């Protein structure tokens, strides 16, 4: 009986986890501008509306009654909805409302549609009365450095709060920069959500055992699209920089087959995807890959560029540590042991935006939740895939609030 409106790119209500048939052919044949008889609503997605259409921003908004998540990006709104109230979601008993306010062909969301979506959430039958309002609105979206005092969406959030509706938002994924957290999360009454590490996350230590003058334990940030040490176990080997002969120092080109057998390979950041670097190391026989930064700053969990196969652990280290390892060559020997690390549970992920808000110095975000999870992929029928960031953290909080 708890009602949750998902203001996003729509919801694939045909997915089995969200009350649909689970048949990809039905999704492929669906006309996203009309509601095919018997397809919508479902037992889980009980209502909704499309305020943008399938072509915005390449055209003006073209509203229609079918809020199907029909984009080509795997379905942002579908992931969010599944985390909140899908078959294995946080609160699987909720009634979901698919309020499509974001594009099918880009990552943009329409300001006009967002206001209309807020109106819909507090009055789903659009009779001018708020008796049928939802209980919670989820917005896994936002604008960095947004100022709530002159933002119409923030005003709408505060107005919805006055009617008894909680709005949960993502704080953004712009890392540790002062004041970067934005609207609508910066609204006075919004509950802005940071991304925290999953309970199993560990900051691994890289142990350098040789040469003796640099031996010790050093932090190395695990890349979560690679193979965790909990799966691969202890890995160790002599360190090699690039191809060992002064070439392929960034790891963007393929290494000779078998040339990295038994080696831990250090490559520089830059010029290609993080994933391609680690893939190339693994394909050539390396047991682990390390990405060294080439400028001052903290190492971080790099984005997943989609390159595969990746069957070895990958790490990132600071420029100063990378330079130290290079200085120990050719004697540098490193060890990664799953027993050596610091639990990260309860700490904020490096990519998550911090506060405070840039107006009133308000504490934003106010709450954190694990953001990395596996949830429904739009158009797949039954498929799931990884989804993360504060967009994945906010629905964890929304589901918790529903419970």
């Amino acid at each position: 009986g708890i009602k949750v409106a998902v203001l996003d790119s729509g919801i694939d209500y045909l997915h089995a986890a969200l009350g649909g048939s689970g048949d990809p052919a039905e999704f492929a044949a669906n006309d996203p501008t009309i509601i095919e008889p018997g397809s919508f609503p479902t037992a889980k997605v009980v209502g909704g509306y499309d305020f943008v259409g399938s072509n915005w921003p390449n055209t003006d908004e073209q509203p229609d009654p079918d809020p199907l998540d029909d984009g080509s990006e795997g379905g942002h709104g579908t992931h969010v909805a599944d985390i909140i109230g899908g078959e294995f979601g946080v609160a699987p008993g909720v009634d979901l409302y698919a309020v499509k306010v974001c594009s099918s062909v880009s990552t943009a969301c329409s300001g006009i549609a967002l206001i209309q979506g807020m109106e819909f959430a507090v009055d789903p039958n659009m009779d001018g009365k708020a008796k049928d309002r939802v209980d919670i609105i989820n917005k896994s979206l936002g604008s960095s450095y947004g100022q709530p005092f002159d933002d119409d969406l923030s005003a709408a959030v505060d107005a919805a709060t006055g009617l008894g509706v909680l709005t949960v938002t993502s704080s953004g994924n712009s890392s540790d920069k002062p004041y970067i957290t934005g609207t609508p999360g910066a609204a006075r009454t919004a509950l802005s959500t940071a991304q925290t590490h999953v309970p199993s996350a560990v900051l691994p230590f890289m142990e350098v055992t040789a040469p003796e003058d640099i031996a010790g334990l050093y932090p190395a940030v695990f890349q979560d699209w690679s193979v965790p040490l909990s799966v691969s176990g202890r890995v160790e080997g002599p360190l090699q920089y690039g191809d060992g002969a002064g070439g392929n120092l960034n790891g963007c080109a393929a290494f000779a087959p078998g040339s990295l057998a038994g080696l831990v390979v250090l490559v520089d950041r830059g010029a290609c995807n993080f994933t391609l670097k680690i893939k190339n190391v693994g394909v050539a026989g390396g047991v682990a890959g390390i990405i060294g930064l080439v400028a001052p700053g903290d190492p971080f969990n790099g984005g997943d560029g989609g390159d595969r196969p990746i069957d070895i652990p990958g790490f990132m280290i600071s420029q100063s540590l990378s330079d130290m390892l290079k200085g120990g060559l050719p004697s540098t020997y490193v060890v990664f042991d799953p027993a050596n690390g610091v639990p990260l549970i309860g700490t904020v992920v490096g990519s998550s935006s911090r506060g405070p808000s840039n107006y009133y110095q308000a504490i934003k975000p106010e709450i954190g939740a694990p953001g990395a999870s596996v949830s429904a992929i739009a158009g797949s029928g039954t498929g799931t895939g990884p989804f993360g960031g504060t967009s994945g953290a906010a629905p964890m909080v929304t589901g918790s609030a529903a419970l």
Side-chain angles (χ1 to χ4, degrees), residues 71-320:
S72 59
E73 302 299 318
H76 191 280
T78 298
H79 279 295
V80 169
D82 189 27
I83 294 169
I84 295 169
E87 183 178 3
F88 302 107
V90 177
V94 299
D95 292 331
L96 293 168
Y97 286 76
V99 186
K100 185 174 178 181
V101 296
C102 300
S103 174
S104 297
V105 295
S106 77
T107 59
C109 302
S110 163
I112 294 172
L114 278 162
I115 296 297
Q116 293 174 319
M118 291 294 294
E119 291 282 348
F120 178 89
V122 298
D123 181 18
N125 67 4
M126 294 186 271
D127 67 351
K129 301 176 182 178
K131 292 181 180 179
D132 57 338
R133 64 187 179 277
V134 303
D135 300 289
I136 308 167
I137 295 169
N138 188 96
K139 290 182 183 175
S140 290
L141 50 86
S143 176
S144 296
Y145 295 115
Q147 300 184 119
F149 68 90
D150 62 358
D151 178 73
D152 53 358
L153 189 56
S154 294
V157 168
D158 290 340
T161 303
L163 293 172
V165 180
L166 169 67
T167 299
V168 179
T169 72
S170 55
S171 68
N173 307 303
S174 299
S175 302
D176 193 1
K177 302 180 182 71
Y179 305 106
I180 199 167
T181 186
T183 51
R188 184 175 60 86
T189 64
L191 185 56
S192 180
T193 308
Q195 181 189 3
T196 57
H197 284 281
V198 297
S200 60
V202 171
L203 174 63
F205 285 133
M206 176 180 64
E207 183 179 7
V208 180
T209 60
E212 186 175 353
D213 62 336
I214 62 170
L217 292 173
Y218 301 94
V221 176
F222 174 69
Q223 305 299 293
D224 64 9
W225 32 259
S226 67
V227 177
L229 292 173
S230 60
V231 174
S232 66
R234 176 185 170 106
V235 294
E236 60 183 294
L239 185 76
Q240 178 171 292
Y241 178 32
D243 65 7
N248 201 14
L249 299 182
N250 61 19
C252 291
F255 294 94
S259 65
L260 305 182
L263 299 175
V264 176
V265 180
L266 172 65
V267 296
D268 292 332
R269 181 186 182 184
C272 66
N273 292 337
F274 301 119
T275 46
L276 181 59
K277 297 171 187 289
I278 303 302
K279 171 194 171 183
N280 287 340
V281 171
V283 168
V287 296
I290 303 174
I291 300 167
L293 296 182
V294 295
D298 294 330
F300 56 92
N301 181 21
D304 186 347
D307 303 283
R308 297 294 187 273
I310 295 175
D311 52 12
I312 62 170
F315 304 90
M316 184 182 292
I317 60 175
S318 67
Q319 181 187 32
S320 59

Side-chain angles (χ1 to χ4, degrees), residues 9-66:
S9 61
I11 299 175
D12 178 11
Y13 50 77
L14 301 171
H15 195 286
L18 292 159
S21 67
D23 182 0
E26 185 179 359
F27 181 91
N30 188 282
D31 181 347
T33 65
I34 62 172
I35 298 174
E36 283 77 2
S39 65
F40 177 77
T42 70
K44 283 190 176 291
V45 187
V46 302
Y49 198 82
D50 181 354
F51 289 98
V52 290
S54 297
N55 301 307
W56 180 88
N58 296 330
T59 65
D60 291 337
E61 290 91 344
Q62 298 172 330
D64 64 68
D66 188 349

